[in-house]
């Protein structure tokens, strides 16, 4: 695996549910606030794994809902996807505003939130 992202890939983000972080949700949909992190928006890439396998890994390692954002959606808003694997997670990446700026701008965060798909919700069946 390397820093090349395929257009068929998705990026998965764990997000606190509405009962814990109401500002992350608006009328049942992800809000842009859930995608604003000054340290870099931490995500996991699907790479060559089926979506269900990728979501199951996220559920085992993180709490909350799991949403997906496609690589093309990120590229369409000019976001930079940084591959940054760790010793315990080869799939870890971050979504940045650009190569030189970390925090997504308001427009990028809004458009990506609108394009995000809910893949898993705690205490309910998989949606994948």
């Amino acid at each position: 695996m390397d820093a090349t992202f395929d257009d068929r890939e998705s990026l998965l983000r764990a997000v606190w549910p509405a009962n814990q972080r109401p500002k992350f949700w608006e009328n049942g949909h992800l809000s842009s606030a859930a995608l604003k992190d000054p340290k870099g928006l931490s995500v996991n890439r699907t790479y060559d794994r089926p979506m269900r396998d990728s979501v199951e890994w996220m559920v085992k390692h993180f709490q909350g809902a799991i949403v997906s954002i496609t690589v093309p959606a990120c590229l369409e808003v000019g976001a930079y996807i940084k591959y940054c694997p760790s010793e315990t997670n080869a799939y870890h990446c971050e979504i940045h505003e650009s190569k030189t700026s970390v925090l997504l701008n308001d427009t990028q965060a809004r458009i990506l939130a609108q394009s995000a798909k809910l893949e898993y919700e705690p205490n309910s069946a998989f949606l994948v």
Side-chain angles (χ1 to χ4, degrees), residues 94-123:
E94 292 178 356
I95 303 173
H96 293 188
E97 177 186 23
S98 66
K99 282 187 178 183
T100 58
S101 180
V102 176
L103 182 65
L104 291 173
N105 66 45
D106 292 344
T107 301
Q108 289 172 316
R110 180 179 42 79
I111 292 170
L112 291 177
Q114 290 170 346
S115 75
K117 179 182 174 190
L118 182 62
E119 301 288 353
Y120 171 82
E121 197 166 12
N123 303 318

Side-chain angles (χ1 to χ4, degrees), residues 1-6 9 45 47 83:
M1 190 169 4
D2 60 21
T4 304
F5 293 88
D6 189 280
E9 279 190 78
R45 68 192 295 186
Y47 190 59
Y83 177 52

